[in-house]
Amino acid sequence: MKNIFLVLKREYLTRVRKKSFIVMTILGPLLIGAFYGFIGWTAMSSISLKKVEVIDESNLFKGKFKNTEELDYSYSSQSLDNAKKDFAKSNYDALVFIPKDIMDNPKGVKIFSEKSLSIELQNGIEKTIENEIETIKLTEAGITQKVLEDAKMNINSETISLSEEGEKSNSSVAATIIGYVCAFLIYITVFIFGVQVMRSVMEEKTSRIVEVIISSIKPFELMMGKIIGVALVGLTQFTLWILLSLAVTTAATSMFGEKFAGSPEQRMEQVKNMPQAQEIEKQVKKEAKGGGGIYGKAMKAVQTLPWVTILVCFIFYFLGGYLLYSALFGAVGSAVDSETDVQQFMLPITMPIIFAIAIAQFVIREPDGNLAFWTSMIPFTSPIIMMVRIPFGVPAWQIILSMVLLTGGFIGTTWLAARIYRVGILMFGKKPTFKEIGKWIFYKG
């Protein structure tokens, strides 16, 4: 145990003292936020104002096409032939022609453009015409505009789970997002830190320094020290990322939250002197009654999740999944002499976790199905699948059984990897095969 601790300490301190670790730990959350912010800014800045000319022979759609920050509609009284001739010289991006008999011939609408028309613009034009035709026909049938507006209802249901503990609110959307994010984090970290273990073993093997180390420490103790040391590095980095993210989020909310969001009462004061103030005031009151609009609904949804269970299980499955796979990564590192020989051994040990992240989307659709249950029990897939299921609510006995099986799986793979490690770490100059590695497991001594 003492030797394991010494190797653990060396692996941990060596990595956390690196400048790359310090820089990425501090800048990691900022770089991720900046990356997605840059993507959003690039997407928004690439959108230019589209000008559309409308020729309405039916005179039913005058003013029905609403101008936005991205679209500018202009109505023209000239003939279609003249408009088509002048289109190339004009600054318009599209020409919309609505025939006189639009009510009887809705397929007579034509949209002309010099370049390919975006699906979004085409669907927007078609939807506007469809809605107006529908309104006209309903009005002719004796249904007034007020009746139509009153008939439009915005249903916002609340999902409640019934259990022995009583009724409890839940949110499928929040559970889906949190579950998939936790599973994806485990998936990424298993690969990142598992590969670190493999490369660390390979470096010591190829430099022949391991021959000196093995003289004073058992191969199993060396492997376990490396695995646990790298695991603690990963936990340290995750903890610091969470703390830094919370600090940045809290600071941003306190500085800009009131400015950009504001309470429903403040928003009411802001719109009193604006046009259509009555309609806006109704909307604000509705949001206040429903929980503060989109932001309020999102916060309410997040609060329904079992956060203590999610946090405890995330730490356990993060460690369990990492320890299970990193033992196998360490075995692969001890069996090969160069990274060119790694690929043939990497695929078999990474297929289960790749399979798990691939079927996670199907598990989200039915978190209590047979596929979800069995894959959350198998140690090679349970770290991913169980984290997808837990936000939806999983019986305690299933979580306990899954944890016991994962612990047993870790012990079994560690024993197997140690048998390979003790022989492979001293093998040089020969490319191993699966058959030969299988013999290493049963070597005595």
Side-chain angles (χ1 to χ4, degrees):
M1 192 68 185
K2 180 181 178 182
N3 290 333
I4 293 177
F5 178 76
L6 290 174
V7 176
L8 181 158
K9 182 179 178 181
R10 174 185 173 275
E11 290 290 328
Y12 181 82
L13 293 178
T14 300
R15 281 172 167 77
V16 298
R17 287 174 177 173
K18 287 183 178 179
K19 291 182 179 180
S20 59
F21 175 86
I22 298 172
V23 171
M24 287 307 300
T25 300
I26 297 174
L27 297 181
L30 298 177
L31 289 175
I32 293 173
F35 174 74
Y36 285 105
F38 177 74
I39 292 176
W41 176 80
T42 304
M44 293 300 296
S45 61
S46 63
I47 299 175
S48 57
L49 179 66
K50 301 291 184 183
K51 294 184 178 182
V52 181
E53 184 179 13
V54 180
I55 298 178
D56 180 17
E57 292 186 345
S58 66
N59 294 320
L60 296 175
F61 299 90
K62 185 81 173 187
K64 300 302 180 182
F65 292 93
K66 303 298 182 184
N67 293 333
T68 65
E69 294 181 356
E70 302 172 8
L71 293 173
D72 181 23
Y73 291 97
S74 300
Y75 297 89
S76 176
S77 58
Q78 64 178 328
S79 64
L80 177 61
D81 293 335
N82 292 335
K84 288 165 63 176
K85 290 179 183 178
D86 300 336
F87 183 76
K89 299 178 182 179
S90 66
N91 295 324
Y92 293 109
D93 296 284
L95 171 63
V96 180
F97 172 72
I98 304 175
K100 290 182 180 180
D101 58 345
I102 181 64
M103 300 298 295
D104 300 321
N105 182 27
K107 293 185 178 180
V109 177
K110 291 181 174 61
I111 304 176
F112 303 91
S113 64
E114 187 176 357
K115 300 178 182 178
S116 297
L117 198 68
S118 67
I119 296 177
E120 184 180 2
L121 177 57
Q122 181 180 350
N123 289 341
I125 294 171
E126 292 175 353
K127 192 67 177 177
T128 300
I129 296 174
E130 288 173 2
N131 291 340
E132 186 59 25
I133 292 176
E134 181 181 348
T135 301
I136 292 172
K137 289 188 174 182
L138 290 173
T139 303
E140 291 176 351
I143 301 175
T144 63
Q145 188 66 29
K146 186 177 184 305
V147 174
L148 291 174
E149 292 178 357
D150 293 340
K152 295 178 181 178
M153 302 298 293
N154 183 18
I155 304 300
N156 183 21
S157 62
E158 180 183 2
T159 55
I160 301 173
S161 60
L162 297 175
S163 61
E164 296 179 355
E165 299 176 356
E167 297 183 0
K168 185 178 180 180
S169 298
N170 57 38
S171 172
S172 299
V173 176
T176 299
I177 295 172
I178 297 300
Y180 197 83
V181 167
C182 290
F184 189 75
L185 286 175
I186 293 175
Y187 171 77
I188 291 296
T189 53
V190 163
F191 274 100
I192 292 176
F193 296 112
V195 169
Q196 286 189 21
V197 172
M198 183 182 69
R199 287 181 175 172
S200 176
V201 172
M202 289 177 60
E203 287 174 3
E204 291 182 351
K205 179 180 178 179
T206 54
S207 65
R208 310 300 286 265
I209 193 175
V210 72
E211 296 178 2
V212 179
I213 299 175
I214 292 298
S215 62
S216 58
I217 186 173
K218 294 180 180 179
F220 175 78
E221 295 174 335
L222 178 61
M223 185 184 71
M224 286 302 299
K226 286 181 175 295
I227 291 173
I228 299 173
V230 176
L232 292 177
V233 173
L235 276 178
T236 301
Q237 196 164 52
F238 264 115
T239 303
L240 293 174
W241 277 351
I242 292 171
L243 293 176
L244 288 172
S245 298
L246 289 175
V248 172
T249 303
T250 303
T253 303
S254 61
M255 292 174 63
F256 305 109
E258 293 293 328
K259 180 179 179 180
F260 289 103
S263 63
E265 292 77 9
Q266 290 174 327
R267 291 165 61 190
M268 281 177 148
E269 292 294 330
Q270 294 173 358
V271 302
K272 280 184 178 179
N273 298 323
M274 293 173 59
Q276 300 178 335
Q278 293 181 351
E279 288 77 5
I280 298 175
E281 186 174 347
K282 289 180 181 178
Q283 179 64 24
V284 174
K285 287 182 178 179
K286 183 179 179 181
E287 291 184 2
K289 185 177 180 181
I294 296 175
Y295 178 78
K297 292 175 184 176
M299 292 303 298
K300 185 177 180 181
V302 169
Q303 291 172 1
T304 63
L305 298 178
W307 282 106
V308 175
T309 304
I310 292 173
L311 182 60
V312 171
C313 290
F314 177 79
I315 295 174
F316 178 86
Y317 283 105
F318 167 80
L319 290 174
Y322 162 77
L323 292 173
L324 187 147
Y325 278 97
S326 61
L328 297 177
F329 277 110
V332 170
S334 67
V336 299
D337 293 336
S338 63
E339 292 195 15
T340 56
D341 301 329
V342 168
Q343 299 303 320
Q344 62 174 325
F345 300 109
M346 284 284 288
L347 185 61
I349 66 174
T350 56
M351 279 298 292
I353 195 170
I354 295 174
F355 170 76
I357 200 68
I359 66 169
Q361 56 184 323
F362 302 104
V363 173
I364 287 174
R365 296 179 183 176
E366 194 176 358
D368 296 320
N370 291 329
L371 176 65
F373 174 78
W374 289 110
T375 50
S376 63
M377 295 298 134
I378 300 172
F380 291 98
T381 56
S382 62
I384 301 295
I385 303 303
M386 187 56 85
M387 283 312 306
V388 171
R389 294 183 61 201
I390 284 174
F392 291 92
V394 180
W397 70 269
Q398 291 188 18
I399 297 177
I400 295 172
L401 178 60
S402 175
M403 288 181 171
V404 170
L405 292 175
L406 179 58
T407 303
F410 161 64
I411 294 173
T413 54
T414 303
W415 176 86
L416 185 69
R419 303 288 292 183
I420 298 172
Y421 186 92
R422 68 193 177 101
V423 179
I425 197 68
L426 297 175
M427 287 286 185
F428 297 96
K430 183 181 179 182
K431 291 185 178 181
T433 61
F434 285 104
K435 183 178 180 180
E436 188 173 358
I437 291 176
K439 293 180 180 179
W440 295 354
I441 297 174
F442 300 101
Y443 281 172
K444 293 182 179 181

